Amino acid sequence: MSQLMQWSKFPDLAIYCCDVNEFRLRFRSNDNATIDFCYQYHFAATDVGLNASPECTGEVHLLTGVIGLSDLIMGLISSNAHASFNVRVWPKINLHLSTESWINEEKIKSIILNSFDDGQDRTFYGNNYFFPKSLNDIDVFNINGRVWGTHAIGDFESENCFYTELTEHLIIMVDFDASSCWPNDAPPPADIKSHVMGFFLDYLNHFDIILRDSVPEEQLPPLGFYPSRRDEKEIDAEGKTIESRSEAYASESLLKW
């Protein structure tokens, strides 16, 4: 694995920025993250649910990356202290989520829990597979005024899924997998899981979801994928590169967010 950028150095990380409906989204990643080079999505209602124009239906995978958590985990130097993560936009209907507004903690927990009551037999995944079975298996966090629901899932709780409501019909979902930080034959120790949870929340604390009409156009972070070296590119309406930008512009326009 290539050397990972440390999670704590957010200003130095690569930036991915896209539009989804009336929102501009901006989040950080490693330079060699897997990204979708389409930077503008519009989900519209159809007879069969929601469609993301022009070609995509269902969920949209925006970004998949890996970032180092820390060289020091619970007092021990560890080369495995990293987390992979995946950022997606989902129509609620695809996840069996109610279109009710996420107005309070109990409602959010109930909506997420009910999405697992879909008739699927999850015993098929094996005895070690974990998924939410009660409201106590779901937590809710308020991060920068935005509410996120979260729960563990997978073999021995290998992943943590975070959801936040974007619109009446859409959610953003961020999946983290830091299971390399503990043995893979048992659930994560509570102290280490609590430690890495702090990194997950810190990442979401630097996750920007901006209503485009709420700020002047010139103050919005520009669309595109910008590696940590800040070789920025101008993106046209079709998501194509049209010219390079200077590092001075990057410092003024991107890093102030």
Side-chain angles (χ1 to χ4, degrees):
M1 180 179 295
S2 61
Q3 185 175 5
L4 301 177
M5 180 67 71
Q6 287 300 305
W7 196 274
S8 60
K9 298 179 181 178
F10 279 102
D12 299 327
L13 295 178
I15 293 173
Y16 177 81
C17 187
C18 68
D19 282 344
V20 176
N21 286 27
E22 66 267 32
F23 293 90
R24 182 149 298 181
L25 312 181
R26 192 198 73 148
F27 32 86
R28 310 285 181 155
S29 73
N30 52 314
D31 283 334
N32 58 351
T34 301
I35 69 168
D36 190 331
F37 285 97
C38 178
Y39 301 115
Q40 292 178 299
Y41 295 95
H42 183 74
F43 286 80
T46 69
D47 292 339
V48 292
L50 293 177
N51 179 69
S53 60
E55 301 92 9
C56 301
T57 58
E59 76 275 16
V60 172
H61 292 253
L62 300 176
L63 174 76
T64 300
V66 181
I67 300 183
L69 297 176
S70 175
D71 290 330
L72 191 64
I73 289 286
M74 305 307 295
L76 298 174
I77 299 296
S78 172
S79 61
N80 296 323
H82 65 265
S84 60
F85 62 98
N86 187 19
V87 182
R88 290 174 286 177
V89 176
W90 284 81
K92 289 181 179 179
I93 190 172
N94 285 33
L95 289 177
H96 305 280
L97 291 165
S98 165
T99 57
E100 297 175 89
S101 295
W102 294 22
I103 56 177
N104 56 49
E105 179 174 335
E106 287 303 309
K107 174 63 70 175
I108 294 168
K109 288 186 174 184
S110 177
I111 288 173
I112 293 175
L113 182 64
N114 289 342
S115 72
F116 288 90
D117 186 20
D118 56 5
Q120 182 177 351
D121 181 10
R122 289 180 174 80
T123 60
F124 171 82
Y125 296 103
N127 295 331
N128 299 324
Y129 188 83
F130 179 87
F131 64 94
K133 302 177 183 67
S134 74
L135 295 178
N136 292 331
D137 293 328
I138 301 169
D139 293 313
V140 175
F141 294 95
N142 190 311
I143 304 173
N144 288 334
R146 175 168 289 274
V147 179
W148 294 81
T150 182
H151 62 79
I153 198 168
D155 287 338
F156 295 114
E157 304 177 34
S158 58
E159 294 185 24
N160 281 84
C161 303
F162 286 79
Y163 311 72
T164 190
E165 184 179 49
L166 188 63
T167 72
E168 178 185 1
H169 298 290
L170 296 173
I171 63 153
I172 297 173
M173 188 171 179
V174 185
D175 301 329
F176 296 102
D177 184 349
S179 57
S180 62
C181 296
W182 53 80
N184 59 11
D185 58 354
D191 53 353
I192 296 181
K193 189 60 177 288
S194 175
H195 186 79
V196 299
M197 180 63 74
F199 288 99
F200 301 159
L201 298 179
D202 194 24
Y203 179 79
L204 297 177
N205 188 51
H206 291 80
F207 192 111
D208 297 316
I209 301 173
I210 308 161
L211 185 64
R212 291 203 308 275
D213 288 345
S214 66
V215 298
E217 180 70 24
E218 62 272 13
Q219 294 183 17
L220 289 171
L223 298 173
F225 178 72
Y226 306 103
S228 59
R229 60 185 179 274
R230 302 297 179 228
D231 291 341
E232 300 202 26
K233 303 171 180 65
E234 182 78 24
I235 306 298
D236 65 16
E238 296 179 353
K240 298 178 180 178
T241 300
I242 58 178
E243 67 179 47
S244 297
R245 294 189 179 188
S246 67
E247 289 189 1
Y249 181 89
S251 298
E252 179 181 348
S253 182
L254 272 176
L255 301 185
K256 69 180 180 181
W257 281 90

